[in-house]
Amino acid sequence: MKTLSRRVATKTAGVFYKDIVSHTNSVVDKVFIIRYKDINGRDKLTTIGKFSDGIREAYCKAKLNEIKHKIIHGEELPRIARKKSNITFDELAEFYFELKEKGTHKDPKKEKARYTNHIKNLIENYLPENITKELLLDLQNNFKKKLAPRTTNHLLFLITSILKNGIETKKYTGLVPTIKGLTLDNARERYLELEEINSLLQESKKEFCNDIGSVINSVSTPNFS
């Protein structure tokens, strides 16, 4: 893979990205860059990170504003290029569930199933420091379209619990973003939870029927002629 030299402007002034292409010249990723003027008025370019690592335009905008604020007020600039985590969020999650299974947690298997079914494929390859408030808000909006508010809140709480556990066990050093949970409507909540249960039952029935069909098809029909 190689990074193309052309900088592409985003909707945010001062935030750009460069495409990363494969050996067949297909775009497979992109890396974000910010541009600002230092205390002497000279243009500076700083690489923030890759899209595949969870970096988004909103995160770059926040970093750019932080740098500008510190330049204006004469504060020390942050080290954008500080050492990144050498562990993914999914690895933090696996370690979290291992500890829960060894401890006295009520139902670690149920909690792990929720992670696997709803969270894992969305952020498993993210670096922990790239789990931002903006990302949690995006996940919240995504979850609430198909899940009950209580379930949505539980999933977001699980994400932050995994990050907190990573800090407590010194697997990760950083911040844990927080957002406001959804307001619960008990009547609607009960209805949505029933909907989720029915949906799970339907999926289970489909899988059962498919399994039975496979077994039947695998058995040869006797020839009585």
Side-chain angles (χ1 to χ4, degrees):
M1 294 190 296
K2 67 176 181 178
T3 302
L4 301 183
S5 59
R6 186 173 74 93
R7 290 200 308 268
V8 181
T10 66
K11 293 180 180 179
T12 302
V15 178
F16 305 84
Y17 69 85
K18 292 182 179 181
D19 286 323
I20 298 175
V21 298
S22 65
H23 66 282
T24 59
N25 284 328
S26 298
V27 176
V28 294
D29 204 349
K30 57 185 175 183
V31 60
F32 284 96
I33 302 161
I34 59 174
R35 182 179 66 192
Y36 59 93
K37 291 186 181 296
D38 65 13
I39 194 170
N40 297 314
R42 293 175 297 189
D43 280 339
K44 291 287 185 181
L45 291 173
T46 300
T47 299
I48 302 299
K50 296 178 181 178
F51 187 91
S52 59
D53 287 334
I55 299 298
R56 298 293 184 269
E57 183 179 339
Y59 178 81
C60 296
K61 180 180 179 181
K63 282 296 180 185
L64 184 60
N65 289 337
E66 180 185 353
I67 290 175
K68 288 180 177 179
H69 175 84
K70 289 181 180 291
I71 290 174
I72 291 172
H73 295 279
E75 301 174 24
E76 183 181 355
L77 291 178
R79 291 186 61 197
I80 298 294
R82 66 184 181 278
K83 184 179 178 181
K84 293 183 178 180
S85 301
N86 57 0
I87 189 171
T88 65
F89 182 78
D90 189 55
E91 289 169 330
L92 277 186
E94 287 299 319
F95 184 71
Y96 171 83
F97 291 121
E98 284 178 12
L99 289 181
K100 292 298 180 184
E101 288 170 1
K102 293 176 182 177
T104 58
H105 193 259
K106 291 182 179 179
D107 195 357
K109 290 183 179 179
K110 183 177 180 181
E111 196 171 39
K112 188 172 184 179
R114 281 177 171 163
Y115 170 77
T116 302
N117 293 334
H118 301 295
I119 299 172
K120 181 179 172 71
N121 68 325
L122 297 175
I123 58 174
E124 62 179 321
N125 293 320
Y126 277 47
L127 296 179
E129 61 264 32
N130 294 334
I131 307 294
T132 62
K133 181 177 180 179
E134 290 78 15
L135 177 60
L136 291 185
L137 287 170
D138 286 342
L139 291 173
Q140 185 182 65
N141 288 330
N142 183 38
F143 292 148
K144 72 181 183 181
K145 292 176 183 177
K146 53 186 178 180
L147 300 171
R150 191 183 305 278
T151 305
T152 295
N153 288 346
H154 185 90
L155 292 175
L156 293 169
F157 178 76
L158 178 56
I159 292 172
T160 56
S161 295
I162 291 171
L163 290 174
K164 288 177 182 177
N165 182 73
I167 293 173
E168 291 169 0
T169 55
K170 302 188 185 303
K171 296 286 184 181
Y172 159 62
T173 55
L175 302 176
V176 178
T178 57
I179 61 173
K180 185 178 180 180
L182 298 177
T183 302
L184 303 182
D185 180 334
N186 290 332
R188 182 171 180 271
E189 182 75 11
R190 285 192 294 271
Y191 170 76
L192 286 173
E193 286 179 344
L194 285 173
E195 285 288 295
E196 291 172 19
I197 292 170
N198 288 331
S199 177
L200 287 172
L201 285 173
Q202 291 301 320
E203 288 298 320
S204 298
K205 287 179 181 178
K206 287 179 183 178
E207 291 181 7
F208 177 76
C209 291
N210 289 336
D211 290 342
I212 292 297
S214 298
V215 171
I216 293 173
N217 290 332
S218 66
V219 177
S220 300
T221 303
N223 188 352
F224 296 104
S225 58

